[in-house]
Amino acid sequence: MTVRQIASLTNPTVKAVRALHMKKEREATGLFLAEGLKIVIEALDQGRAPKMLMFGKDADHPLLDRAVRETQKARGEVIEVTREILEKIARRENPQTVIAVFEQRTTPLDTLDPRSASAWVALEQVRDPGNLGTVIRTADAAGCGGVILIGETVDPFSVEAVRATMGSMFALPIVRTSREAFLAWRKRWPGSVVGTLLTAQHGYRDAPYQAPTLIVMGTEQSGLTPEVAAACDVNVKIPMRGRADSLNLAVATGIMIYAVTDQA
């Protein structure tokens, strides 16, 4: 298969790929953007080839040959583009020299096997894409089983969230579910379900976690809703010893993930 070349900023393919910055376009097409050769290689390592691979004329890396070869093998399209096109698609100066388009995939909640990992993460109504991506990356690094998104959350396939995962989104199951479906499913959870509350008696280090442990974290502003908080059978707190009265969601979730996995 040959590599197509595009040099025009007004090319329809360029417009279609750039449009994937918009949530409505991602929902309509079932596709999303991923920037950088590292993320593409992480996807390939997990058996996920791009639907489309774009690279700049000055891109030069041994792994790019692999990305081109495996994209073509999977019948994806490979396109060489100008730096100006990369900048337009990425919406920033100094863009990555490789941009890929992937098919969205999520995992149905009822197909998860809780006992396949010692810890899992659930996020209720998370709003910040950088926080979401960082949590996914941290969960992957710690060996968690997957990340469950409850209710109206930020799109995990937004450019910012995907970028923050650094490729970990291809390594973990990502579930999107309603609060009602989560609460019904949680009743069958075989281990601990842990939430963070300011009024909790247990510190996060010394709580009695029973594997598999489901770590449930709330919004950056208001924490867990009362319904989801009531579904947690273990409540813990992370002490604030300085002037700050709260932690960034991704930082707090990372602390909880390693507290739980260190006990496993």
Side-chain angles (χ1 to χ4, degrees), residues 54-82:
M54 289 183 161
F55 64 92
K57 293 179 180 295
D58 57 348
D60 183 21
H61 194 285
L63 289 176
L64 179 58
D65 293 337
R66 176 192 170 191
V68 169
R69 185 172 62 253
E70 294 195 26
T71 300
Q72 292 178 331
K73 183 179 179 181
R75 299 189 179 279
E77 187 173 14
V78 179
I79 305 172
E80 183 183 280
V81 297
T82 64

Side-chain angles (χ1 to χ4, degrees), residues 27 39 51 66 68 72 78 107 112 136-137 146 153 172 178 181 184 203 212 233 256:
E27 290 178 343
I39 289 182
K51 303 288 286 185
R66 176 192 170 191
V68 169
Q72 292 178 331
V78 179
T107 301
L112 297 181
I136 292 172
R137 184 181 178 188
T153 70
L172 285 178
S178 67
D233 50 38
M256 288 301 305

Side-chain angles (χ1 to χ4, degrees), residues 74-255:
R75 299 189 179 279
E77 187 173 14
V78 179
I79 305 172
E80 183 183 280
V81 297
T82 64
R83 180 180 179 83
E84 290 74 22
I85 288 175
L86 290 174
E87 289 178 348
K88 183 173 183 177
I89 292 174
R91 296 184 175 180
R92 58 177 177 164
E93 296 180 357
N94 300 317
Q96 297 278 354
T97 56
V98 176
I99 293 177
V101 176
F102 287 91
E103 185 178 23
Q104 297 182 25
R105 290 186 190 175
T106 56
T107 301
L109 183 63
D110 287 337
T111 65
L112 297 181
D113 176 10
R115 297 190 185 278
S116 65
S118 63
W120 297 72
V121 178
L123 302 176
E124 185 184 21
Q125 297 181 337
V126 59
R127 301 298 188 191
D128 185 272
N131 277 343
L132 173 55
T134 301
V135 168
I136 292 172
R137 184 181 178 188
T138 305
D140 177 26
C144 293
V147 176
I148 302 166
L149 306 180
I150 307 168
E152 292 297 321
T153 70
V154 68
D155 186 1
F157 299 107
S158 70
V159 173
E160 296 82 2
V162 173
R163 184 185 298 143
T165 71
M166 293 295 289
S168 289
M169 66 176 303
F170 297 106
L172 285 178
I174 297 175
V175 177
R176 304 175 83 172
T177 187
S178 67
R179 182 184 298 115
E180 292 74 20
F182 171 79
L183 291 173
W185 175 82
R186 173 266 175 270
K187 295 176 182 178
R188 304 190 299 273
W189 188 262
S192 298
V193 180
V194 181
T196 55
L197 292 174
L198 292 175
T199 57
Q201 298 300 310
H202 288 292
Y204 74 99
R205 293 182 184 273
D206 53 15
Y209 303 126
Q210 179 182 345
T213 301
L214 179 59
I215 303 163
V216 188
M217 305 293 288
T219 66
E220 292 89 344
Q221 291 77 28
S222 55
L224 296 172
T225 59
E227 298 92 337
V228 173
C232 298
D233 50 38
V234 179
N235 292 318
V236 299
K237 60 184 176 182
I238 302 173
M240 302 292 111
R241 299 192 177 100
R243 290 183 58 83
D245 60 2
S246 64
L247 290 173
N248 168 278
L249 174 64
V251 172
T253 306
I255 290 171

Side-chain angles (χ1 to χ4, degrees), residues 15-35:
K15 292 181 178 180
V17 173
R18 190 171 188 265
L20 293 175
H21 280 273
M22 297 184 292
K23 183 179 180 180
K24 66 178 183 180
E25 192 66 20
R26 293 193 299 273
E27 290 178 343
T29 62
L31 303 173
F32 70 97
L33 275 179
E35 302 173 344

